[in-house]
Amino acid sequence: MLILYKKSERQFLSNGIGRLDKHAFDDKVREELNGIYKLEFTYPIHAPHSKDIKNDNIVRATVPDGEQPFFISRIVKKDGYLRVTAYHLFYRLIWQLIEDINIVNLNGQAALNRVLENTEFTGVSDITTTKNIRIVRYNAVEAILNPGKDNTLISRFGGELKRDKLTVMLMNRIGRTYENNPVEIRYAKNLLSYEADIDSTNVATRVMPIGFDGLLLPEKYVVKPGADPTDYKTAKVEYTSIRAISNPDSPKEGELPLEDAYEALRQAVLSDFESGRFDLKASYQVRFQELSSTEEYKNKSVLEKVYLGDEIKVIHTDEDLQILSRVVAYEWSPIRKEYDEVELGSHIDTFSDIKPTLELIAGKVEQYKTDWENNVDEITELLTTALGGYVLKRPGELLIMDTEDPATATKVWRWNLNGLGYSGTGINGPYETAITMDGRIIAKFIYTLNLSSISANLGVVTAGRIQDKDNESYWDLDGKEIKLNVNELKILGEDVSLKLGTLEDGVDGIALQVGGIKVGGRNLLRDAGVVVENSSYNIRNYNLAEPIADGEEVTLTIKGNLGAGKSYFAAYNSGGTVNLANLEYIGNGLYRKTFNWRISSSSNTYVSIYTLFNTVTAVSKIDWIMLERGNKPSDFSPANEDISARFQILDGEISSKVSTTDYTGTTIASKINQSPTTVKIDAQHIQLEGLVTVNNRFKVLLDGSIEALNAKLGGELTTYDANGRGLRMFNRNLAFYGSVNNNLRGVLGSTATSDFEGISVLLPANASKRSLFSISPLDTYNDVTGDWFSGLQMFVAERQPGGREIIAVYSEFFALKAIQRGTVNLNSNTARSVTFSPSMQGAPMIVLTPSHNISGAIVTAKILSASSTGFSAIIQGAPTSSDVMFYWIAIA
């Protein structure tokens, strides 16, 4: 059975995209003990689901002990068929890089859990012995399966691997023993053929272990228990992970006291003896018919069905062959549900045997080899199936033609000292396929695995278009167009520039393309260049510039320094629950860690940086922080969103926006929008430097002064002199200040009532002096008799408490300079002369009183004489015992 699923499927309960076994053929599953586990089959291109057979999609296939998922890794198209290679889902762990883990005194289950940490796989192990392992920069498959390295699970713990969907089992032993499941394969019954391979090159009964830096045992050798002392087979084996302390004053991590190191060497060799590492290796290629699939045995309760790891007995009486061995590999048809071949023996493929396959899965083998092989096959078939043709040998050359006569031939191969060429139009050419003696090659198609001499010898390659086989990436040199559909594009150089011409599609599109170019690395954190310095445990949160997928490999770097007593910077996903990494100091003020991203229960929107431990309070500093994809750190650069301006050119409009968002989500932005008639600038701060001119009528000069023909102001206007005295205009009021302390001296405002429109005057409550206001009305006031009163009126009122006056003088023609008050008693005289020497010199003077009704009589005043030093006047009216108040004013 073969059923196709999308690459995201993990339950495999439905029929997925569809069944493939109706049209698939040449199907084979091969599994090896602690080795490869893969599926291969052929499928017609025109069959129903051929277009759904894509890399990474999953095929569920029947295997001897059930069903297993395989992800498609390679598809080769040839002669109307797809040859598909898929690997067990376990091999997706190839892309799980283990940066650095230290397994200390853990058993098999706990160690396997550490290796599978942050993956979709679950580990199971029954190995109870404890080991120490340091694993640095291995992928998870290599960390489990590579016996060629000392620091892997298989080399330290031993054991055998069983892969079941998303479960990885490292067991002491898989399969059944002969005693528990006595299966025999007999000649003439179900044994079809066999081939034996016995290898003694690795056999050893005495081992010289060599630790790190040439460490040797005092006794030099460890002997296998029960070995024949008269026939030792000696081998030298390195155990470089076992280290003795080199400097007792400063022991390094992993170093052991000398005697402990000696004992570790002895135990390592004894463990390898026990695991069979130095035993005779024998393997048997056995072809047999499994009886469980035959009509004769189908109803038997105990069927001879075998699985990987089972121990069985092979009996061939004619050749005196009787083997008790284990199933170490098999080939199985998932459609026919039967074995094609079973391999028995003690031999288990080494990691070096399967490493090329793993590299192929990981994409490290050049896929162009497929095209090369396909073309070789096609050309071979073309040449080996050719029929007909005529060969003519004449002086100096050889002709191969489609007719006997060169004069009538149209298809001609011509070979002489000058070269070899083919013409499809007769012996005189033109020869469009040729190799000449001076090194030129002309052809419509050239297939090669290497063109390494181009840069060295040719210097220039002329081409119209260079493209990949799927036309997904190309350089159209004639059409001046480049399309690169790649995961990563690096441009290296001391001086790299990009020049953009006319922008027709908007720069949003350009930003999308440029965003994939890793120039100095793509920083995934916002505001990463803001210097942070504080003593908080959570020193800073950084918004993610874009989402990061769970399990994606990233590198985090911080430039800064930890406060005294702090141990390291720790990164968490969106708060303090989901730990991402603890950064390590690498020198020059840099802290760094490469790890796989974890989402778990977090919101996955920002990164929280903590300074550990929180029991210590000290000021730490972050100069900058850089989070980038992959394991290759680069120099700091801010996130694209923090430095790039996004432009749009649509229907004659240009807009520019620069924004930044802090970790709370607040966006701060400035914008410039331009249309054919309007330019709008929107920002928190707008700074103009230099002479600013508007319509050539309004200027802001370099000294800050303003020149304008007319002004219409809204809001408030405030002016001050050097001593702080000034005025403030606001609403419909004018406020006066008298000192640097802004002491309010008075407010002049407009009033409007049902019967009066005018000006209101407000004085501060603590005023100690008379307040004077001079106002020019729109209309002339002639309420007081006398020539000298023309256009002039004074109104006096008292304000309680304190008897202070408010004096308002209205004048149409004069400017008021000063005012004072005096009194005169008219008790016995109807007229009284008054002489006054004013304090203000050099101004005309006039004395007057308003119409003043005293006991029904009118009191008037008249100037007799006036000069710059004083004046005299006469005040007359009805006698009264009251003092009559009079005022004098100075006007200009």
Side-chain angles (χ1 to χ4, degrees):
M1 178 190 70
L2 299 174
I3 299 179
L4 183 65
Y5 296 88
K6 293 182 179 180
K7 63 181 181 180
S8 58
E9 179 64 43
R10 291 296 183 270
Q11 299 299 319
F12 309 109
L13 300 177
S14 67
N15 284 327
I17 296 174
R19 296 181 68 109
L20 303 179
D21 41 1
K22 292 183 180 180
H23 299 89
F25 62 94
D26 196 13
D27 55 306
K28 176 176 66 177
V29 170
R30 178 169 179 83
E31 183 180 13
E32 301 169 0
L33 188 61
N34 288 3
I36 202 68
Y37 197 1
K38 69 177 181 178
L39 163 69
E40 294 178 298
F41 63 90
T42 300
Y43 196 79
I45 287 179
H46 300 296
H49 299 296
S50 62
K51 292 183 179 180
D52 298 313
I53 296 178
K54 302 175 182 179
N55 281 341
D56 293 327
N57 275 357
I58 297 174
V59 179
R60 179 176 129 207
T62 304
V63 296
D65 56 351
E67 297 173 351
Q68 293 295 330
F70 299 81
F71 72 93
I72 297 173
S73 175
R74 187 181 184 191
I75 304 170
V76 177
K77 298 179 182 179
K78 183 179 178 181
D79 299 332
Y81 295 95
L82 305 177
R83 184 60 181 169
V84 180
T85 303
Y87 294 88
H88 192 275
L89 217 56
F90 162 80
Y91 288 102
R92 291 187 64 84
L93 289 170
I94 285 175
W95 294 291
Q96 181 72 19
L97 179 68
I98 299 173
E99 295 178 11
D100 188 350
I101 60 173
N102 196 9
I103 296 171
V104 180
N105 199 29
L106 297 182
N107 60 22
Q109 178 67 66
L112 187 58
N113 288 345
R114 288 295 308 278
V115 171
L116 297 177
E117 210 169 50
N118 302 322
T119 73
E120 60 182 332
F121 291 85
T122 301
V124 175
S125 178
D126 63 356
I127 299 175
T128 58
T129 57
T130 59
K131 299 288 182 181
N132 299 331
I133 313 174
R134 177 80 178 273
I135 301 176
V136 181
R137 291 187 291 276
Y138 286 178
N139 67 59
V141 173
E142 189 177 15
I144 296 171
L145 264 184
N146 189 352
K149 299 287 187 180
D150 183 57
N151 54 335
T152 62
L153 299 190
I154 205 73
S155 63
R156 291 294 180 92
F157 289 99
E160 296 173 354
L161 192 68
K162 181 173 178 60
R163 293 152 288 199
D164 183 14
K165 300 180 178 67
L166 293 175
T167 301
V168 179
M169 291 174 270
L170 184 62
M171 315 298 287
N172 280 300
R173 173 177 174 144
I174 66 171
R176 301 163 294 183
T177 64
Y178 178 72
E179 289 77 11
N180 294 331
N181 185 52
V183 175
E184 295 180 352
I185 299 177
R186 291 178 176 271
Y187 183 69
K189 178 182 178 184
N190 56 351
L191 177 60
L192 302 179
S193 66
Y194 76 92
E195 178 181 331
D197 183 5
I198 300 174
D199 183 4
S200 62
T201 56
N202 291 322
V203 172
T205 58
R206 185 173 68 167
V207 172
M208 175 187 287
I210 303 174
F212 180 76
D213 201 20
L215 177 66
L216 295 174
L217 291 173
E219 66 274 24
K220 292 187 180 178
Y221 299 102
V222 177
V223 178
K224 182 178 182 179
D228 183 356
T230 64
D231 188 23
Y232 284 140
K233 293 179 173 60
T234 304
K236 179 182 69 173
V237 181
E238 292 187 354
Y239 297 88
T240 56
S241 65
I242 299 176
R243 306 181 177 208
I245 294 175
S246 56
N247 183 359
D249 296 329
S250 180
K252 298 178 181 178
E253 182 182 359
E255 290 185 339
L256 301 172
L258 184 59
E259 290 302 323
D260 291 348
Y262 287 154
E263 185 58 27
L265 284 175
R266 298 184 187 103
Q267 292 301 319
V269 178
L270 291 174
S271 178
D272 283 344
F273 278 138
E274 185 178 353
S275 68
R277 177 178 179 180
F278 305 116
D279 290 349
L280 182 73
K281 307 298 182 186
S283 64
Y284 304 89
Q285 299 286 344
V286 178
R287 295 186 65 249
F288 72 99
Q289 184 178 22
E290 185 193 13
L291 297 183
S292 63
S293 62
T294 64
E295 186 69 22
E296 178 184 358
Y297 290 91
K298 71 177 182 178
N299 294 321
K300 293 204 170 185
S301 59
V302 179
L303 299 179
E304 296 181 352
K305 191 174 184 69
V306 297
Y307 304 109
L308 191 69
D310 280 359
E311 190 176 55
I312 63 176
K313 183 180 287 187
V314 178
I315 301 172
H316 194 310
T317 54
D318 291 347
E319 297 192 21
D320 194 24
L321 174 67
Q322 191 169 118
I323 308 165
L324 188 63
S325 193
R326 299 181 64 200
V327 177
V328 296
Y330 66 81
E331 290 186 1
W332 165 275
S333 168
I335 295 178
R336 291 182 284 109
K337 299 181 181 179
E338 63 183 27
Y339 286 110
D340 290 326
E341 185 178 281
V342 173
E343 184 176 340
L344 309 177
S346 58
H347 171 68
I348 299 175
D349 278 342
T350 64
F351 188 80
S352 60
D353 294 326
I354 66 172
K355 188 174 182 180
T357 302
L358 303 187
E359 290 179 345
L360 177 63
I361 299 172
K364 296 178 181 177
V365 176
E366 293 291 340
Q367 294 300 315
Y368 291 111
K369 187 177 179 182
T370 301
D371 286 340
W372 165 261
E373 291 173 344
N374 289 342
N375 282 283
V376 168
D377 291 342
E378 291 176 6
I379 292 172
T380 300
E381 183 178 4
L382 186 66
L383 294 176
T384 55
T385 58
L387 298 176
Y390 299 88
V391 178
L392 175 62
K393 175 66 174 69
R394 63 186 191 182
E397 66 180 359
L398 183 68
L399 302 178
I400 303 175
M401 306 171 291
D402 57 349
T403 67
E404 290 183 287
D405 186 357
T408 60
T410 56
K411 300 177 180 178
V412 179
W413 277 98
R414 189 170 190 171
W415 199 342
N416 54 45
L417 282 178
N418 289 329
L420 169 67
Y422 172 78
S423 169
T425 57
I427 193 169
N428 293 320
Y431 289 86
E432 295 180 345
T433 302
I435 303 175
T436 64
M437 63 180 298
D438 57 5
R440 286 177 291 169
I441 299 176
I442 181 171
K444 292 181 179 178
F445 306 98
I446 297 178
Y447 294 93
T448 179
L449 290 179
N450 267 308
L451 284 176
S452 58
S453 63
I454 286 179
S455 59
N457 298 327
L458 300 182
V460 175
V461 177
T462 301
R465 183 183 177 98
I466 302 173
Q467 68 181 48
D468 64 6
K469 60 185 178 62
D470 298 321
N471 196 29
E472 292 185 353
S473 295
Y474 56 81
W475 286 29
D476 187 346
L477 303 179
D478 293 335
K480 296 181 175 59
E481 181 181 0
I482 299 176
K483 176 186 176 183
L484 298 178
N485 184 7
V486 295
N487 293 328
E488 182 177 354
L489 176 63
K490 292 184 177 180
I491 302 176
L492 304 178
E494 294 182 359
D495 186 8
V496 178
S497 63
L498 297 175
K499 182 178 181 181
L500 303 177
T502 303
L503 306 180
E504 296 178 351
D505 299 324
V507 180
D508 272 348
I510 294 177
L512 179 62
Q513 298 296 325
V514 176
I517 301 176
K518 296 184 69 174
V519 181
R522 162 73 162 117
N523 199 336
L524 300 174
L525 296 181
R526 301 296 305 273
D527 300 320
V530 177
V531 177
V532 180
E533 189 170 10
N534 59 57
S535 59
S536 299
Y537 177 44
N538 178 196
I539 185 171
R540 175 67 193 263
N541 295 332
Y542 295 90
N543 267 6
L544 287 175
E546 63 186 42
I548 303 176
D550 194 57
E552 190 171 359
E553 184 180 45
V554 294
T555 297
L556 179 64
T557 304
I558 289 178
K559 173 65 183 294
N561 58 273
L562 288 166
K566 292 287 188 179
S567 299
Y568 53 86
F569 288 105
Y572 285 76
N573 194 338
S574 308
T577 303
V578 181
N579 178 254
L580 294 173
N582 299 330
L583 276 65
E584 299 173 355
Y585 184 68
I586 61 174
N588 297 324
L590 295 176
Y591 300 79
R592 178 172 292 151
K593 191 72 173 180
T594 298
F595 57 93
N596 293 98
W597 191 257
R598 294 182 62 219
I599 297 178
S600 187
S601 60
S602 74
S603 64
N604 199 36
T605 55
Y606 62 93
V607 173
S608 302
I609 303 298
Y610 292 82
T611 58
L612 274 73
F613 290 91
N614 62 349
T615 55
V616 177
T617 300
V619 175
S620 299
K621 181 181 180 182
I622 298 177
D623 294 306
W624 53 258
I625 186 170
M626 182 99 170
L627 178 64
E628 51 196 317
R629 288 186 167 88
N631 57 8
K632 296 179 181 178
S634 53
D635 294 337
F636 172 76
S637 60
N640 293 348
E641 292 79 0
D642 290 337
I643 63 172
S644 63
R646 303 178 64 192
F647 294 91
Q648 294 179 338
I649 302 178
L650 300 170
D651 297 330
E653 295 186 2
I654 301 178
S655 67
S656 169
K657 177 180 179 182
V658 180
S659 66
T660 183
T661 305
D662 63 18
Y663 71 92
T664 66
T666 301
T667 300
I668 304 169
S670 62
K671 294 180 288 186
I672 301 176
N673 299 316
Q674 178 181 346
S675 69
T677 58
T678 306
V679 176
K680 179 181 178 182
I681 301 176
D682 184 0
Q684 290 187 342
H685 303 282
I686 300 175
Q687 183 172 335
L688 301 176
E689 300 292 343
L691 177 65
V692 179
T693 303
V694 180
N695 293 333
N696 203 29
R697 294 178 179 274
F698 174 85
K699 294 182 180 179
V700 179
L701 306 182
L702 296 177
D703 61 1
S705 59
I706 297 175
E707 293 181 1
L709 294 181
N710 296 290
K712 182 179 181 181
L713 303 178
E716 298 184 6
L717 175 64
T718 304
T719 65
Y720 292 100
D721 62 15
N723 297 317
R725 295 185 296 266
L727 59 84
R728 174 185 172 206
M729 298 177 63
F730 60 97
N731 296 331
R732 294 181 296 171
N733 303 308
L734 178 64
F736 300 88
Y737 297 88
S739 69
V740 294
N741 295 323
N742 291 336
N743 292 330
L744 183 66
R745 290 305 187 188
V747 178
L748 183 65
S750 64
T751 62
T753 64
S754 60
D755 58 354
F756 176 76
E757 291 185 357
I759 299 174
S760 66
V761 180
L762 302 177
L763 297 179
N766 61 350
S768 60
K769 298 181 180 180
R770 300 179 184 88
S771 300
L772 174 66
F773 299 89
S774 175
I775 303 169
S776 296
L778 298 177
D779 298 321
T780 300
Y781 290 85
N782 293 310
D783 296 336
V784 182
T785 60
D787 301 349
W788 55 85
F789 297 131
S790 177
L792 186 66
Q793 181 181 10
M794 181 173 71
F795 171 77
V796 180
E798 290 190 353
R799 181 167 67 97
Q800 298 296 330
R804 301 185 184 96
E805 295 101 358
I806 300 175
I807 305 168
V809 179
Y810 302 86
S811 174
E812 182 180 6
F813 306 110
F814 308 110
L816 183 64
K817 294 297 184 181
I819 186 168
Q820 288 194 14
R821 181 181 63 178
T823 60
V824 62
N825 192 295
L826 301 179
N827 185 33
S828 58
N829 298 304
T830 58
R832 185 177 295 275
S833 297
V834 179
T835 302
F836 212 139
S837 299
S839 59
M840 187 174 85
Q841 305 296 320
M845 302 295 177
I846 187 169
V847 174
L848 66 136
T849 59
S851 297
H852 196 83
N853 192 327
I854 300 176
S855 300
I858 299 299
V859 179
T860 61
K862 186 174 183 179
I863 292 178
L864 298 179
S865 63
S867 68
S868 61
T869 59
F871 66 87
S872 62
I874 185 170
I875 300 174
Q876 58 186 5
T880 177
S881 59
S882 302
D883 289 339
V884 176
M885 185 179 300
F886 69 92
Y887 298 86
W888 65 264
I889 63 173
I891 61 174

